Amino acid sequence: MNIQAIRQDFPILNRQINGKPLIYFDNAATSQKPYSVIDAITNYYQYHNGNIHRAIHTLSSEATELFEKSREKISKFINAKSPNEIIFTRGTTEAINLVAYSLGCDTLGSDDEVLISLMEHHSNIVPWEIIAKCRGFTVKYGHVNKDGTLDYQDFMSKITKKTKICCLSHVSNVTGVINDVKCIAKVAHDNGALMLIDGAQSVPHMKVDVQDLNVDFLAFSGHKMLGPTGVGVLYGKKEALQKMTPFQGGGEMIKDVSFSADHCVVSWNELPWKFEAGTPDIAGVIGLGAAIDYLVALGMDNVFNHEKDLTQYATECLKKCRDITLYGPTDLSQKCGILPFCLRGFSSHETAALFNEYGIALRSGYHCAQPLHQILNLPSSARASFYIYNTKAEIDRFIEIIEELNS
Ligand code: 7TS
């Protein structure tokens, strides 16, 4: 990949922060956006704005065509069997809530178990805990090793005939650990359970093929993969989605609402619209389509290898620095471009504030993954996370600052 050419596509990378060139290392929180995405959104509002699926006038049909074209692009991008398996949501969080509420509505009861892991983002913990309180099912947690990797033996041993769904992040947003979700999906299916993976940190960074992984659900967010905020995706296997009750009711998700003999009879729309109540973020979906075009043109293997290269380089440099502790596994082969660390003598927020003085954007805190921080025995951590436009020169500058602090 020609990183210098890529950088020209991202206007924000020309910004100065505190008089220094911006070095954006907070990509796990949200990525920056190229001109093509910004232009797709502007173009939609300038020339094609209309509500989708509901009018026969030209603007409505153009908007509908652009919107549904994005669904096709996303379907191909993750190798779904059909665009009808792609449901637009507000993001990963809403996609997971959709599955939790929908299954909770009619499938999960007091004899059932949901299995998740202790490395999850809160958005793959809290919805299950909320619904469990209403429906009386049990939420079980798979353990995580001290280096942040999944304890596979423990997770597998907790999958039983009572397990209705296993929910696991594909890549941890704290350590960058890549989980072998394909292997877990097999065990889940052997026991009659569904498999949901949280792809918020995998889909933007590597090739994800839902048919190869054979998962039932995949949730991800547009804004972490060059797209706008406010739009995300739930992929669901047709057979699973067809059985589920809609998450939200409203316009668009119904086939028919009729009133007879004093009661209302409602039938659901076809997939995927059955799960898309109300007017969606049309511009956001179109922007996400442009983001997918950008990533496809780069090639996801190239994206993954570039970040792997940066992670390897940064890890080797950081290991030589005094007063820095790195967390997560030492085996980088099973890891994405996320580096959690602590700087001796500074809290994580102090670390992030200090780097901000030098124009470097880092995340600090517990990254919405408190249980994992408990396991790592950390109140919080600082985190650098890379994407397609980051360079080794930026990492050199980052290391230079750490060395200046040490001297
Ligand atoms: N799952 C994972 C693994 C995530 O990393 C995030 C966001 C979410 C779910 C939620 O995504 P959303 O788009 O619905 O908010 N993670 C982070 C992060 O690491 N720093 O800021 C947001």
Side-chain angles (χ1 to χ4, degrees):
M1 292 199 307
N2 180 345
I3 308 305
Q4 287 315 320
I6 289 174
R7 291 181 66 83
Q8 300 302 313
D9 293 334
F10 290 79
I12 210 166
L13 298 180
N14 294 322
R15 266 208 66 177
Q16 304 257 315
I17 304 284
N18 294 318
K20 314 277 187 327
L22 165 68
I23 296 182
Y24 189 74
F25 282 171
D26 193 16
N27 293 286
T30 198
S31 75
Q32 297 304 344
K33 324 300 175 201
Y35 281 115
S36 60
V37 168
I38 299 166
D39 291 347
I41 295 166
T42 308
N43 184 61
Y44 162 71
Y45 280 125
Q46 272 185 339
Y47 302 110
H48 308 290
N49 181 46
N51 209 333
I52 54 167
H53 299 138
R54 43 194 93 190
I56 55 161
H57 63 75
T58 300
L59 291 181
S60 175
S61 358
E62 286 175 359
T64 304
E65 202 179 312
L66 289 166
F67 184 88
E68 291 301 334
K69 189 92 203 136
S70 280
R71 199 190 304 273
E72 283 168 29
K73 288 177 188 175
I74 291 157
S75 169
K76 271 206 192 109
F77 188 65
I78 59 167
N79 195 30
K81 273 191 186 151
S82 149
N84 295 345
E85 296 181 317
I86 305 299
I87 292 158
F88 289 115
T89 64
R90 282 194 300 121
T92 308
T93 303
E94 192 176 70
I96 297 172
N97 272 274
L98 187 161
V99 178
Y101 275 80
S102 189
L103 291 182
C105 207
D106 52 17
T107 304
L108 301 171
S110 55
D111 291 335
D112 300 325
E113 291 177 2
V114 169
L115 178 60
I116 57 189
S117 91
L118 285 169
M119 76 167 76
E120 301 311 302
H121 187 279
H122 295 161
S123 61
N124 202 15
I125 297 177
V126 183
W128 300 109
E129 289 290 347
I130 293 173
I131 316 294
K133 278 215 168 63
C134 306
R135 298 283 297 170
F137 60 83
T138 306
V139 184
K140 287 203 158 173
Y141 289 86
H143 290 160
V144 171
N145 302 313
K146 292 274 175 237
D147 66 353
T149 54
L150 184 73
D151 180 340
Y152 282 87
Q153 215 178 352
D154 180 69
F155 199 91
M156 303 285 200
S157 73
K158 287 176 175 156
I159 305 176
T160 69
K161 299 288 175 211
K162 286 187 162 192
T163 314
K164 288 289 173 292
I165 184 164
C166 297
C167 309
L168 186 63
S169 45
H170 195 183
V171 169
S172 158
N173 69 317
V174 176
T175 59
V177 162
I178 305 170
N179 287 319
D180 187 349
V181 290
K182 183 172 176 173
C183 147
I184 293 194
K186 166 125 194 16
V187 181
H189 292 150
D190 288 348
N191 283 274
L194 294 164
M195 179 83 201
L196 175 148
I197 58 171
D198 172 347
Q201 301 294 347
S202 62
V203 176
H205 305 283
M206 58 169 76
K207 201 174 256 172
V208 175
D209 178 333
V210 286
Q211 291 193 63
D212 175 53
L213 296 177
N214 196 18
V215 292
D216 301 283
F217 303 105
L218 164 72
F220 56 100
S221 299
H223 69 95
K224 294 186 199 285
M225 52 191 296
L226 312 180
T229 51
V231 64
V233 171
L234 174 71
Y235 155 81
K237 264 189 200 163
K238 185 172 141 201
E239 308 82 74
L241 292 173
Q242 271 175 337
K243 286 187 205 145
M244 286 159 58
T245 302
F247 168 46
Q248 291 175 333
E252 193 56 39
M253 49 71 70
I254 45 86
K255 186 175 279 165
D256 201 53
V257 183
S258 54
F259 210 74
S260 70
D262 259 9
H263 61 268
C264 192
V265 183
V266 183
S267 58
W268 316 135
N269 200 346
E270 304 293 325
L271 288 176
W273 305 290
K274 166 181 162 186
F275 289 100
E276 291 179 356
T279 302
D281 182 352
I282 304 167
V285 165
I286 293 167
L288 179 55
I292 301 275
D293 288 341
Y294 194 96
L295 289 170
V296 168
L298 292 179
M300 289 312 288
D301 286 338
N302 295 329
V303 169
F304 184 71
N305 289 334
H306 171 65
E307 290 172 33
K308 213 168 178 59
D309 198 29
L310 291 180
T311 310
Q312 187 104 29
Y313 182 69
T315 307
E316 277 161 20
C317 297
L318 284 166
K319 272 189 191 157
K320 292 183 203 141
C321 294
R322 277 189 296 128
D323 295 335
I324 261 232
T325 313
L326 289 174
Y327 295 91
T330 44
D331 173 12
L332 298 185
S333 67
Q334 286 310 308
K335 206 177 131 70
C336 269
I338 298 179
L339 287 179
F341 68 93
C342 286
L343 199 56
R344 185 132 63 102
F346 297 93
S347 73
S348 69
H349 289 326
E350 283 165 350
T351 306
L354 202 142
F355 278 94
N356 189 51
E357 291 296 310
Y358 293 90
I360 301 184
L362 295 175
R363 172 83 200 267
S364 56
Y366 45 73
H367 323 308
C368 301
Q370 261 184 305
L372 181 56
H373 276 81
Q374 261 173 288
I375 290 163
L376 298 174
N377 205 14
L378 285 173
S380 66
S381 60
R383 182 187 70 183
S385 52
F386 308 127
Y387 211 13
I388 49 174
Y389 33 68
N390 291 125
T391 65
K392 285 188 181 165
E394 289 180 319
I395 293 171
D396 289 341
R397 179 70 192 124
F398 176 57
I399 304 288
E400 228 173 68
I401 296 164
I402 295 173
E403 281 169 351
E404 266 173 45
L405 291 171
N406 281 340
S407 61

